[in-house]
Amino acid sequence: MDGHGGEKLLFLTDEQLRQGIEAMFFAYRGFTSDPDRILDDYAYGRAHHRALHFINRSPGTTVNNLLSILGVTKQSLNRVLRTLIEDGLVEARVGDRDRRERHLHLTATGRALEAKLSDAQQTRMRQAYRTAGPEAVAGFRRVLEAMMDPEIRRHYAGLAE
Amino acid sequence: MDGHGGEKLLFLTDEQLRQGIEAMFFAYRGFTSDPDRILDDYAYGRAHHRALHFINRSPGTTVNNLLSILGVTKQSLNRVLRTLIEDGLVEARVGDRDRRERHLHLTATGRALEAKLSDAQQTRMRQAYRTAGPEAVAGFRRVLEAMMDPEIRRHYAGLAE
DNA sequence: AACTTACGTCAGCCTTGTTGACTTTCCAAG
DNA sequence: CTTGGAAAGTCAACAAGGCTGACGTAAGTT
């Protein structure tokens, strides 16, 4: 693409970097605050939201798959998953090919809550995008992608593995 | 500045918004991972890092001030602050004008750890900035700022209150 | 038959958030 | 000078959500 093209000199003072760091901190708080408020009404937390999000994104994903995306232990995930299954938001189907695997799907109820949560988050993001403008959005995404760990980047943007 | 200038139509599909949301999630993980690894070596957590960061940014800040920036309860902050003071990283000086207030300062040891932590974080951010390019950095900052809660934006960028 | 993988579960621990109640200190207004 | 209230600290109890370690079971794989 632009390869060397955009290689202007970047004069980055410590102060500018510090502001970038704080921007991440404060923005992430805003980013999670809307779903958090909704989750309070149910007895769920951020961990439940994350599970709902990624199951919705990749229906039929296995437990192991979800573990590597979320980067937590199976004990942590299981605690969350169990309540979601008990409450009828998530369905765990035994695998056809490999019957050890559990393929995770959202039920209608699960999809409803996921939609509610992601609507709130999308509204904020859409508003931020509109305020910042189209070029800003592209830059935002580029910096975020460059900030991820490489192994994590694999899981990003719906890349099948 | 450019006001209406950048108001092209923004066609934002749900898929694009979802990818932005995931980018925030994955990038934030990367963003915190380096300091987290360092903190493990001491017996500290992310909460200690945040306190060190903001005390370093605004030396002499009061506890109440810090509370409103961090958005936690005084009991939560106090637990963290107490260990930092006991361990000699933070000094709480009784206020001159108002002797109820404690003005927080980093000791030499505290500054050393803060520097170590922020170096790690700055290195990642600098690398991401370099990969993404200068225009991307500006966009990144604009979107993040637009994503913050307005009350929080007051605390941002060293605005004195 | 033995090994490995996928998943679930029990027990226990830590950090970091919460609420509620209470005390001490101390400024400032009556 | 007294009193009200703000600032700060502390104790206790609790919850979410991470973690480790150990164990069990079903089901593929060799």
Side-chain angles (χ1 to χ4, degrees):
Chain A
M1 321 312 161
D2 56 354
H4 296 298
E7 278 197 15
K8 299 177 190 168
L9 284 180
L10 263 179
F11 295 111
L12 295 168
T13 64
D14 282 4
E15 175 59 20
Q16 285 172 316
L17 290 167
R18 212 214 56 204
Q19 285 182 20
I21 287 169
E22 286 189 18
M24 271 301 275
F25 171 63
F26 288 130
Y28 196 77
R29 267 235 303 256
F31 170 71
T32 54
S33 61
D34 303 319
D36 281 355
R37 264 189 295 275
I38 296 170
L39 289 158
D40 278 347
D41 299 341
Y42 305 74
Y44 298 141
R46 229 175 260 183
H48 299 85
H49 183 192
R50 291 198 279 263
L52 289 174
H53 173 96
F54 285 105
I55 295 171
N56 179 66
R57 188 194 75 163
S58 314
T61 189
T62 64
V63 173
N64 254 1
N65 221 301
L66 204 48
L67 282 178
S68 73
I69 290 173
L70 294 175
V72 296
T73 60
K74 62 173 178 174
Q75 293 92 328
S76 277
L77 177 58
N78 191 257
R79 181 168 32 197
V80 162
L81 227 38
R82 187 170 26 189
T83 71
L84 289 174
I85 291 170
E86 280 169 4
D87 296 352
L89 303 194
V90 168
E91 197 187 343
R93 300 185 196 150
V94 172
D96 282 339
R97 231 189 38 207
D98 185 335
R99 287 166 54 205
R100 290 169 306 178
E101 295 179 340
R102 298 301 133 93
H103 297 272
L104 303 169
H105 298 265
L106 295 189
T107 64
T109 320
R111 271 192 300 279
L113 179 55
E114 199 285 328
K116 194 169 174 179
L117 293 167
S118 75
D119 273 2
Q121 216 155 27
Q122 289 189 8
T123 297
R124 181 180 289 254
M125 184 140 302
R126 201 184 336 254
Q127 188 274 323
Y129 279 3
R130 205 152 26 205
T131 303
E135 310 85 7
V137 173
F140 169 72
R141 291 283 300 274
R142 283 167 61 90
V143 174
L144 287 189
E145 280 167 38
M147 210 150 61
M148 297 175 194
D149 281 335
E151 323 88 69
I152 269 67
R153 215 170 292 136
R154 289 192 318 112
H155 295 299
Y156 175 64
L159 302 170
E161 65 257 63
Chain B
M1 303 310 255
D2 59 353
H4 297 297
E7 280 196 13
K8 297 176 191 169
L9 283 181
L10 264 179
F11 295 111
L12 296 167
T13 63
D14 282 3
E15 175 60 20
Q16 286 172 316
L17 290 167
R18 212 214 56 205
Q19 284 181 19
I21 287 169
E22 285 190 19
M24 271 301 275
F25 171 65
F26 288 130
Y28 196 77
R29 269 235 303 257
F31 169 72
T32 54
S33 61
D34 304 319
D36 281 354
R37 265 189 295 275
I38 296 169
L39 289 158
D40 278 348
D41 298 342
Y42 304 73
Y44 297 141
R46 227 174 262 184
H48 299 84
H49 182 192
R50 291 199 278 264
L52 290 174
H53 172 96
F54 285 105
I55 294 171
N56 179 66
R57 185 194 78 163
S58 314
T61 188
T62 64
V63 173
N64 251 5
N65 220 300
L66 204 49
L67 281 178
S68 74
I69 291 174
L70 294 174
V72 297
T73 59
K74 61 176 177 175
Q75 293 90 332
S76 273
L77 177 57
N78 191 257
R79 181 168 32 201
V80 162
L81 228 37
R82 187 171 27 191
T83 71
L84 290 173
I85 291 170
E86 279 170 4
D87 296 352
L89 304 194
V90 167
E91 195 188 343
R93 299 184 197 152
V94 173
D96 280 339
R97 232 190 38 208
D98 185 336
R99 290 164 53 204
R100 291 167 304 181
E101 296 179 339
R102 300 298 132 94
H103 297 272
L104 303 169
H105 298 265
L106 295 189
T107 65
T109 320
R111 271 192 301 277
L113 179 55
E114 199 284 330
K116 193 170 176 181
L117 292 167
S118 76
D119 273 3
Q121 215 156 27
Q122 288 190 7
T123 297
R124 181 179 289 252
M125 184 141 301
R126 202 184 335 256
Q127 187 275 323
Y129 279 4
R130 207 153 24 209
T131 304
E135 309 84 7
V137 172
F140 169 71
R141 290 284 299 274
R142 283 165 62 89
V143 173
L144 288 189
E145 280 168 38
M147 209 149 62
M148 298 174 194
D149 280 333
E151 323 88 70
I152 270 65
R153 214 171 292 136
R154 288 193 318 114
H155 294 299
Y156 174 66
L159 301 171
E161 63 254 64

